[in-house]
Amino acid sequence: MSDTPKFEVIDRRKYKADEEERETPRTESQATAATAEPAKPVRAAEPEPSRGPQLVTSEPEPVEDESGYAVMPPPPTAEESKEQKSAYDASAQRLEDLVRAQNPGAGVQPPVTFEQLVQQFYVSAMIQMGAGAQEGQRPRVDILGARQTIDLLGVLSEKTRGNLTSAEDRMLQSVLFEARMAFLELTNMISMPGVPPAPPTKPGKR
């Protein structure tokens, strides 16, 4: 037996070629998978919400005429006023019948007169100036409210001039004079404390 070792030459090119053939498809598939990005789903554009009719909150400005007064709607017709007056009278009569049924001793209510209208303004002005307070209580004075009420009497006097009887005009002028005099006395006591109020001027003297 010979002791010389035997050497076997192996052609590695064949194995190398086989390995490259097996690795090449894998490498290409991996590269393709790495470089390719998954397709993202495309969302359809959402339609804008339709805007319906919107409420207008701004109030229209009042229309004024040349004199500066707000333009009023047209007045009711004569037929409309007549129908409304009839319905008002019937409703007032039903109310009066109910009151008299609950209180048989109550008489028929008298119609409202011009004198009652003037007296209502006069009494309101005097109460606003402290009249009618109970004894021992401090009167509550609303001097600005009293002035407004007295001015309303003045407006009534101006607007009814030439349309009153002599008795109605005399009554209105007397009430207006007394109310204005009471106002002067009260404002003198408020503005100048300690100074006695001026004596009331008699009618007919200046």
Side-chain angles (χ1 to χ4, degrees):
M1 175 180 286
S2 175
D3 297 331
T4 303
K6 293 180 179 181
F7 295 94
E8 184 179 357
V9 179
I10 300 174
D11 189 359
R12 291 187 147 313
R13 293 176 296 178
K14 182 179 179 180
Y15 292 102
K16 186 176 181 181
D18 294 340
E19 290 179 359
E20 290 178 354
E21 289 178 359
R22 290 194 299 269
E23 291 178 357
T24 300
R26 181 180 59 189
T27 305
E28 291 179 354
S29 61
Q30 290 178 355
T32 304
T35 55
E37 294 182 357
K40 297 182 179 179
V42 180
R43 297 180 60 185
E46 298 181 357
E48 296 183 358
S50 59
R51 297 183 178 180
Q54 297 180 357
L55 178 63
V56 179
T57 57
S58 59
E59 297 181 358
E61 297 182 357
V63 181
E64 297 181 354
D65 56 10
E66 296 179 356
S67 60
Y69 292 96
V71 178
M72 300 295 293
T77 62
E79 186 66 23
E80 291 174 343
S81 298
K82 183 179 179 181
E83 292 178 358
Q84 187 189 50
K85 180 64 166 58
S86 300
Y88 174 82
D89 292 340
S91 179
Q93 185 62 44
R94 288 195 300 269
L95 177 62
E96 186 174 351
D97 293 342
L98 290 174
V99 173
R100 293 175 62 184
Q102 296 179 0
N103 188 8
V108 180
Q109 294 293 326
V112 178
T113 62
F114 181 77
E115 181 180 359
Q116 290 178 330
L117 174 62
V118 175
Q119 289 294 335
Q120 184 174 2
F121 280 119
Y122 174 73
V123 172
S124 297
M126 299 306 292
I127 292 177
Q128 288 169 330
M129 288 186 287
Q134 296 182 0
E135 186 177 357
Q137 291 184 356
R138 184 177 181 180
R140 301 180 60 181
V141 177
D142 181 9
I143 193 65
L144 298 179
R147 176 188 174 183
Q148 186 176 21
T149 304
I150 296 172
D151 289 345
L152 288 175
L153 279 172
V155 172
L156 186 63
S157 176
E158 293 291 334
K159 295 300 183 180
T160 57
R161 182 175 299 173
N163 197 31
L164 300 175
T165 64
S166 58
E168 291 173 342
D169 185 67
R170 185 170 57 253
M171 182 265 303
L172 176 57
Q173 297 305 322
S174 298
V175 166
L176 186 57
F177 180 86
E178 293 181 8
R180 286 173 174 170
M181 183 56 63
F183 181 84
L184 287 174
E185 294 177 356
L186 183 59
T187 52
N188 286 337
M189 289 187 294
I190 294 175
S191 59
M192 294 180 293
V195 179
T201 304
K202 294 182 180 180
K205 293 185 180 181
R206 296 183 180 178

